[in-house]
Amino acid sequence: MVASTHWLASATGMSVLERGGNAFDAAVAAGFVLQVAEPHLNGPGGEVPILLWSEDEQRVSVVCGQGVTPAAATIARFTELGLDIVPGTGLLAATVPGAFGGWMLLLERWGTWRLADVLAPAIHYAEQGVPVLERIAATIESVEGLFTDEWPTSAATWLPGGQVPAPGSKLANPVLAATYRQLVAAAESASGSREGQLAAARKAWYEGFVAEAIAEFSAKTAWRDSSGEVHGGLLSGDDLAGWSASVEEPVTFDYRGHTVCKTGPWGQGPVFLQQLALLDGFDLDAMGFLSADYVHTVTEVAKLAFADREAWYGDADVPMSDLLSATYSAERRRLVGIEASFELRPGAPGGRLPRLPDLPAPSAPGARSPQGLGEPTAGVSGARSPQGAGEPTVSADGVAAGRWTAAGEQVVSPDGSVRGDTCHVDVVDRFGNMVSATPSGGWLQSSPTIPELGFCLGTRAQMCWLQEGLPASLRPGVRPRTTLSPSFALRDGRPWLAFGTPGGDQQDQWSLNFFLAVVHGGLNLQEAIDAPMFHSEHFPSSFFPRGSRPGVLCVEDRVDPGVLAELRRRGHEVAAQGPWTLGRLSAVARDGGFLKAAANPRGAQGYAVGR
């Protein structure tokens, strides 16, 4: 079974399985196709975290394909440039492109196919073209002026013939195809073995012609970014050569007979587990699926878990065992009241006092003022302005007013800035191997295209704070606290479910809603994906300019009107969305002797396939 956010990736993965490849081969091939089919949502300059179950090893592992910040990326350097926040576009926010290394590590350690074989579908689609989705056209149209006036290398790549490609037309990227062909040639000339070719390809990417082009472009060019100023980059050849993807143990939590596995707190994944730890003390079954009590409780729990994310998560020493402990969860659970909370309330795991970053000043009348650093229980709210140039949260009031366009993924602001989103792919094979991967970053609108390579750098460093002493503070050589969050679950100790979604800060709300719908709602995979979605925008965004919308609860308007009225009565600022607008989930499962899969119908783009 293969399920993903784009039908071409799902079909590619399935073709690999039917030609004898395993789940890891299929995931890699599908991942590279996603770079071509959804270039506004991910690219070669981005990153990928991967969770996998190896039937041979009988264990869950995490592949970290998240690149690190440059050695020159210091708070002092940004302060010298007059910046107090990392820009959301341009070269300053670039990190080492980790996606290629992550996919190669997965392929080398667990796969069976050669580099040429897994790259062949992506090369074909890059050369021959892919159908232009309406969202791709809308994205390019929104930044057409920027490309034409400021980023001519991007205009050359994404405005064929000087025009925005029409929806349904064919869009090719022959330069990217040539880059991948050159990688294959370098690999095959270096070695006759599969392992030797993969090693040579990594070397060509991180030390050879790809690294050289990236380093030269970063050092010798400067471009206007979301700060409004023109800046060059900080990424160097040494930064690329010094990084490699890694394999880690997952962070886990046991919930009602299920063991849920996530990445470490260098990503936001453990907020999923913290929400489960809090919900374990509530009787969701008695409340009833999608009742007012149910939605209120899940929402208030999310606010507490994400407040801890702000205070504690990062590429640092995070007290994860305390954050997931029964004692701490019981203390935090008591903060869930009958009315909506409007405060950002991190806890004190193990008696440690939390520190929150300074947040953007509120821009809406009546918004609460943020509290500064060092406040252990801050009543923080941020600006209600659009959340910037990263992955999206659907701007509920903006959608209603017609100031944004959205369909659960891409959001285009009136000033032309575009927040990229993410992709996802899940695979299970005949052997029982399973993969859940969430590639993202390097969006076509992130930064100017590197003309020799056909892709742009990512902007993941925008997730770092330009304030000292925080777990997510900008420091050289650290992983930004990514929102990318694939999920894996065992049931009664056996591999069961691989799942995930795009959506930035909402990933571990939408994925949690899906999981709860299966465990408590009694729904099958497709029913759980189709069920009305909701999420909170209460906490600070991970993306430039880092705003928040205290108390705002976005809900698909298929939810019972009486439930929405009761949620408003409890104080939630309910922002009813279109009936099919939130979430882009996909999932595969090993269940009762069957393999199962499901994909999101929203946007008519996701696809699940199997036999």
Side-chain angles (χ1 to χ4, degrees), residues 132-134 136-138 140-141 157-160 162-172:
V132 175
L133 303 167
E134 289 186 8
I136 294 178
I140 297 175
E141 182 179 19
T157 303
W158 303 110
L159 295 172
Q163 302 294 320
V164 175
S169 64
K170 193 180 287 187
L171 180 63

Side-chain angles (χ1 to χ4, degrees), residues 173-373:
N173 189 343
V175 179
L176 177 60
T179 295
Y180 281 141
R181 284 196 180 280
Q182 188 174 347
L183 275 172
V184 171
E188 293 182 339
S189 65
S191 175
S193 72
R194 190 183 82 93
E195 292 75 16
Q197 290 175 5
L198 295 176
R202 274 199 306 271
K203 187 175 180 66
W205 188 276
Y206 291 104
E207 300 179 52
F209 77 95
V210 175
E212 290 167 1
I214 289 173
E216 183 175 10
F217 190 79
S218 184
K220 296 184 178 180
T221 66
W223 310 85
R224 195 170 306 281
D225 57 37
S226 58
S227 72
E229 302 297 327
V230 174
H231 296 113
L234 302 175
L235 199 60
S236 72
D238 288 342
D239 293 321
L240 277 85
W243 179 86
S244 60
S246 59
V247 178
E248 304 177 0
E249 294 292 320
V251 180
T252 65
F253 185 80
D254 292 333
Y255 181 84
R256 312 292 173 92
H258 306 83
T259 301
V260 181
C261 307
K262 302 293 286 188
T263 70
W266 51 264
Q268 76 171 17
V271 296
F272 188 116
L273 309 182
Q274 282 197 255
Q275 290 172 93
L276 289 181
L278 292 166
L279 290 170
D280 208 19
F282 294 99
D283 192 347
L284 293 183
D285 294 325
M287 294 178 189
F289 182 60
L290 291 183
S291 67
D293 282 343
Y294 180 101
V295 176
H296 171 81
T297 301
V298 172
T299 299
E300 292 304 299
V301 159
K303 293 176 183 178
L304 293 173
F306 277 86
D308 276 345
R309 182 195 75 168
E310 290 308 303
W312 297 109
Y313 287 22
D315 195 2
D317 184 14
V318 179
M320 207 65 246
S321 59
D322 286 330
L323 288 167
L324 289 173
S325 71
T327 300
Y328 179 75
S329 298
E331 293 172 354
R332 299 283 282 161
R333 197 178 296 124
R334 288 194 290 269
L335 295 176
V336 177
I338 61 173
E339 295 185 348
S341 168
F342 279 78
E343 293 181 326
L344 191 66
R345 299 176 290 180
R352 306 167 184 85
L353 289 181
R355 293 186 70 193
L356 287 170
D358 289 326
L359 301 174
S363 62
R368 294 165 173 79
S369 297
Q371 293 182 332
L373 282 170

Side-chain angles (χ1 to χ4, degrees), residues 39 88 119 257 267 459 520 534 582:
L119 280 179
T459 55
H520 290 285
F534 61 92
L582 304 181

Side-chain angles (χ1 to χ4, degrees), residues 80-143:
E80 290 172 3
L81 296 172
L83 299 172
D84 59 6
I85 188 170
V86 178
T89 60
L91 298 181
L92 278 179
T95 57
V96 174
F100 187 81
W103 289 126
M104 290 300 99
L105 179 55
L106 181 69
L107 183 63
E108 179 182 38
R109 180 161 170 176
W110 291 282
T112 64
W113 277 28
R114 291 175 176 259
L115 178 72
D117 297 325
V118 296
L119 280 179
I123 292 172
H124 167 81
Y125 286 122
E127 286 181 334
Q128 301 300 318
V130 295
V132 175
L133 303 167
E134 289 186 8
R135 295 174 186 84
I136 294 178
T139 299
I140 297 175
E141 182 179 19
S142 71
V143 290

Side-chain angles (χ1 to χ4, degrees), residues 55 81 86 126 153 355 368 372 473 489 518 547 561 563 592:
E55 191 68 10
L81 296 172
V86 178
T153 60
R355 293 186 70 193
R368 294 165 173 79
S473 294
V518 175
V563 170

Side-chain angles (χ1 to χ4, degrees), residues 5 42 73 96 170 258 322 487 506 522 530 546 554 590-591 597:
T5 50
N42 80 138
V96 174
K170 193 180 287 187
H258 306 83
D322 286 330
S487 303
Q506 311 333 319
D530 292 353
R546 313 303 295 266
C554 296
R590 294 170 57 178
D591 189 11

